[in-house]
């Protein structure tokens, strides 16, 4: 094979010319995937539920509210956050 730029004879399997450094082939470029906008709703929902759960847990400490309500809200917040993470990974 002959280099397109300098005319030096190079090996047929050469990737670049040893004299001038020019590539012997055109690089293949992959098209970049378009990123879909991610929804922040599960994250915001999880954060709001966590704040409400924290407030209820503080009230439960003084005996004003049953503790189970706070724990249930924390579990719901964890589910919302995990759902958001799952959906984000699935889009890739």
């Amino acid at each position: 094979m002959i280099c397109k730029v300098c005319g030096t004879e190079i090996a047929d399997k050469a990737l670049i010319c040893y004299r001038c450094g020019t590539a012997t082939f055109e690089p293949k470029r992959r098209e970049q995937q378009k990123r879909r906008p991610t929804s922040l709703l599960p994250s915001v929902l999880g954060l709001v539920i966590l704040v409400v759960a924290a407030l209820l847990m503080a009230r439960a400490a003084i005996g004003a509210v049953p503790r189970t309500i706070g724990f249930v809200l924390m579990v719901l917040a964890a589910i919302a956050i995990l759902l958001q993470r799952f959906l984000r990974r699935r889009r890739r």
Side-chain angles (χ1 to χ4, degrees):
M1 170 188 322
I2 297 192
C3 177
K4 298 176 200 173
V5 177
C6 67
T8 304
E9 188 172 336
I10 54 178
D12 290 336
K13 294 181 180 180
L15 299 176
I16 61 170
C17 174
Y18 67 89
R19 178 170 271 171
C20 67
T22 303
T24 58
F25 62 93
E26 294 295 321
K28 296 180 183 177
R29 296 184 185 196
R30 284 194 257 161
E31 293 183 27
Q32 291 183 350
Q33 295 178 353
K34 294 181 182 178
R35 295 184 79 187
R36 297 180 201 162
T38 57
S39 173
L40 293 177
L41 181 64
S43 295
V44 171
L45 181 64
L47 184 60
V48 168
I49 293 172
L50 279 175
V51 168
V52 170
L55 292 173
L56 286 175
M57 294 297 277
R59 295 209 47 187
I62 59 173
V65 177
R67 284 187 171 180
T68 55
I69 293 174
F71 289 123
V72 168
L73 286 174
M74 285 194 172
V75 169
L76 289 175
I79 289 171
I81 292 170
L82 291 174
L83 178 66
Q84 194 263 346
R85 304 268 297 162
F86 173 75
L87 292 175
R88 185 180 292 172
R89 286 187 181 187
R90 188 173 171 199
R91 286 184 185 150
R92 292 182 189 176

